Amino acid sequence: MNGRVLRIELKRSVAPWPGVVVLAGSLAVFCLIDGIWWQGTAGWTAQWTSMALWTRYLLVFWWPLVVGLGAVYGLRESRSRMAELLTTTPLPAWRRAALPAGAMALALASGFGLLVLVGGVQVALGATTYMPLGWLPISMVAALALVAGAVFGMGVARAVPSVLTPPALMVLLLLTDLFLRQDNDGALPSSIAPNRFALLAPATAEPREMLLTLSGSVHVGQTLWLLGLLATGFALLSATTRRARLLAVAPVLAGAAVTLLILPAAARGTYVVDKAAATLVCDGPVCVTQANRSRLPELAPRGKEALRVLHNALGDKAPNSVREDTELRALGDNHELSGDVVLVDFDDPLIAHAAGAELTRLLVAQGLTPNCGPRTPWEGRGQIDIPAQSIAASWALGDRRFEPLQVPDTYAYSQGTWANAKAAWEKLTALPSAEQRSRIAQTHAAALSCKDELAALTGETSP
């Protein structure tokens, strides 16, 4: 297959369209919709690994579609009623099959590669300074999945030349994807189907934790399975006899058998923590992960100032360090709080974009009244703690009047809520100094126990 013939195939056939659909459709989703993929530390342009996982996630839609489009392309000879004529030509069947398969593979690999390039450029121009190589296998397996799926669809359509073949393949794979689909509700993404079978689908769960990546056994197992699928598709595309079509099934069966032995049986073997990304980088008592090292120059001086303020407020019970929260949690689970550490969650919308004095205020608030419930783009239980945190921070920083924390529009409170908080502030500051300090200590203990901090501030309940 020379370049000139391939160029003619790309110009005069529908082979380029699947690649165009994958590229344009993915960019339309990512760039035209203000979705969860733009938020948090696991956003699609925040880190290299999350970028690769978000593009893999879209395969839940593109993979069935690409297989169906491949099947439409594979019906070309039967629709034109040239199948019998072409079989009489002296050109070997595998060479006739290589031309359309190669054109489809080139189009899909180019389309997906351009998508990854767009995401990669945005990550490179962003704030992160951490660049692992572990994201490359994630994207390479995704590209292989698209190519293998398209060629398999072409082969099935050549073996079963019916107009019902493409929609039947698409519907079957969509239903299979729904059954095998992984969700990210738990600490580790998982599926209701057995884990090994779920990993036969190339799509991944929506990335929620930036420190998670796919294990090496997943890359190896999925690559073998997809190569078997690709070999079967090409063999079906080349087969001219019934015996050859029956033998063509052997690669995918062998690939599936070997793959099921390699793939991990449990979610904990599928998604693993990137140890290099999770390594802590410290400036004195302030530590962040290697993945978020670019945030340390801003956080370190503000964290040290916050620790000084907290020591004045709580004495020996004050936290002695500031550390990025790296705990893996299921959605809705409480933070594991400690009185010794101020946990910083960069997925918290309040902290994510804070700087200067406002960041110091937020760190003081987190140290005095840490939010037990999580406050992330995926969950917002921690927003109920903001009024109490605002009061505690204003008191510790010596404000003469109540200063609410700056909150995003999604956490906008009613006037009544802030009026109640202001009333609690006035009630607290009307007390003698020693009693005020005692109330703050009680509030700190209540927050660490996941109790009502505002009630402890006003003395309405004991911690």
Side-chain angles (χ1 to χ4, degrees):
M1 181 175 61
N2 57 49
R4 179 174 176 273
V5 177
L6 181 61
R7 286 195 299 272
I8 293 173
E9 183 74 12
L10 288 171
K11 283 182 64 176
R12 299 184 179 181
S13 73
V14 297
W17 284 105
V20 173
V21 168
V22 170
L23 174 61
S26 299
L27 291 179
V29 171
F30 285 140
C31 300
L32 300 182
I33 302 175
D34 186 16
I36 194 72
W37 42 82
W38 283 112
Q39 303 179 41
T41 56
W44 95 283
T45 59
Q47 300 285 347
W48 291 96
T49 300
S50 58
M51 181 274 294
L53 288 172
W54 271 114
T55 54
R56 271 284 288 273
Y57 163 73
L58 288 187
L59 262 60
V60 72
F61 310 109
W62 300 139
W63 202 54
L65 180 62
V66 163
V67 174
L69 291 175
V72 172
Y73 192 37
L75 291 176
R76 181 175 61 172
E77 291 182 7
S78 64
R79 288 199 312 269
S80 60
R81 300 180 182 179
M82 294 178 58
E84 186 176 351
L85 174 63
L86 291 174
T87 55
T88 62
T89 61
L91 193 67
W94 69 268
R95 290 189 63 183
R96 293 201 312 272
L99 178 61
M104 180 72 78
L106 180 60
L108 283 168
S110 300
F112 188 78
L114 286 173
L115 171 65
V116 173
L117 179 62
V118 171
V121 168
Q122 294 187 72
V123 176
L125 295 177
T128 184
T129 56
Y130 176 66
M131 184 178 177
L133 296 178
W135 70 273
L136 284 171
I138 300 174
S139 295
M140 292 172 68
V141 171
L144 176 60
L146 291 171
V147 172
V151 174
F152 179 74
M154 293 170 66
V156 172
R158 179 71 63 85
V160 187
S162 168
V163 293
L164 297 178
T165 299
L169 280 175
M170 287 181 61
V171 171
L172 177 62
L173 287 177
L174 280 171
L175 293 176
T176 303
D177 271 356
L178 289 176
F179 176 69
L180 299 180
R181 183 181 178 186
Q182 302 173 0
D183 65 65
N184 62 0
D185 292 345
L188 295 173
S190 60
S191 171
I192 58 173
N195 194 67
R196 286 193 173 101
F197 288 97
L199 291 176
L200 294 179
T204 57
E206 300 154 282
R208 182 169 59 87
E209 300 282 356
M210 69 153 186
L211 297 177
L212 288 180
T213 187
L214 293 173
S215 66
S217 59
V218 173
H219 298 319
V220 173
Q222 289 184 332
T223 298
L224 292 176
W225 151 247
L226 292 170
L227 287 175
L229 193 69
L230 177 62
T232 290
F234 188 75
L236 287 173
L237 199 58
S238 308
T240 56
T241 64
R242 178 177 294 181
R243 184 170 180 270
R245 293 188 184 97
L246 291 175
L247 291 175
V249 183
V252 72
L253 294 178
V258 175
T259 296
L260 291 175
L261 296 176
I262 296 175
L263 292 175
R268 63 178 176 272
T270 303
Y271 288 87
V272 296
V273 173
D274 183 342
K275 294 182 179 180
T279 301
L280 291 180
V281 181
C282 300
D283 182 346
V286 182
C287 300
V288 297
T289 61
Q290 180 72 33
N292 281 320
R293 185 170 188 167
S294 60
R295 298 177 182 265
L296 188 59
E298 172 69 22
L299 183 66
R302 298 298 170 181
K304 294 172 184 176
E305 174 64 15
L307 290 175
R308 183 190 65 78
V309 173
L310 290 170
H311 185 268
N312 292 337
L314 296 173
D316 294 339
K317 294 184 179 180
N320 51 34
S321 64
V322 177
R323 179 173 57 81
E324 181 181 349
D325 187 6
T326 58
E327 174 197 359
L328 300 179
R329 298 178 296 100
L331 279 176
D333 281 358
N334 290 333
H335 288 294
E336 292 185 6
L337 301 178
S338 169
D340 298 330
V341 179
V342 179
L343 288 178
V344 176
D345 187 355
F346 290 118
D347 280 328
D348 185 338
L350 274 70
I351 291 178
H353 304 293
E358 184 59 25
L359 179 56
T360 303
R361 179 176 291 273
L362 284 166
L363 294 174
V364 171
Q366 284 293 108
L368 288 175
T369 55
N371 53 295
C372 190
R375 195 162 57 209
T376 70
W378 301 87
E379 53 207 338
R381 289 177 50 220
Q383 62 180 307
I384 63 175
D385 302 309
I386 293 176
Q389 290 183 326
S390 300
I391 295 171
S394 293
W395 180 88
L397 291 168
D399 295 336
R400 294 186 176 183
R401 61 180 185 177
F402 173 57
E403 293 289 343
L405 295 176
Q406 295 181 12
V407 298
D409 293 339
T410 52
Y411 287 173
Y413 284 89
S414 65
Q415 292 295 325
T417 300
W418 288 123
N420 293 336
K422 188 174 181 180
W425 161 260
E426 292 174 351
K427 186 175 181 180
L428 172 69
T429 54
L431 296 172
S433 178
E435 181 63 20
Q436 292 180 33
R437 189 172 295 275
S438 175
R439 289 283 178 86
I440 291 295
Q442 292 175 17
T443 302
H444 178 64
L448 293 176
S449 302
C450 296
K451 295 181 180 179
D452 189 346
E453 308 101 318
L454 198 58
L457 271 172
T458 57
E460 297 174 5
T461 184
S462 58

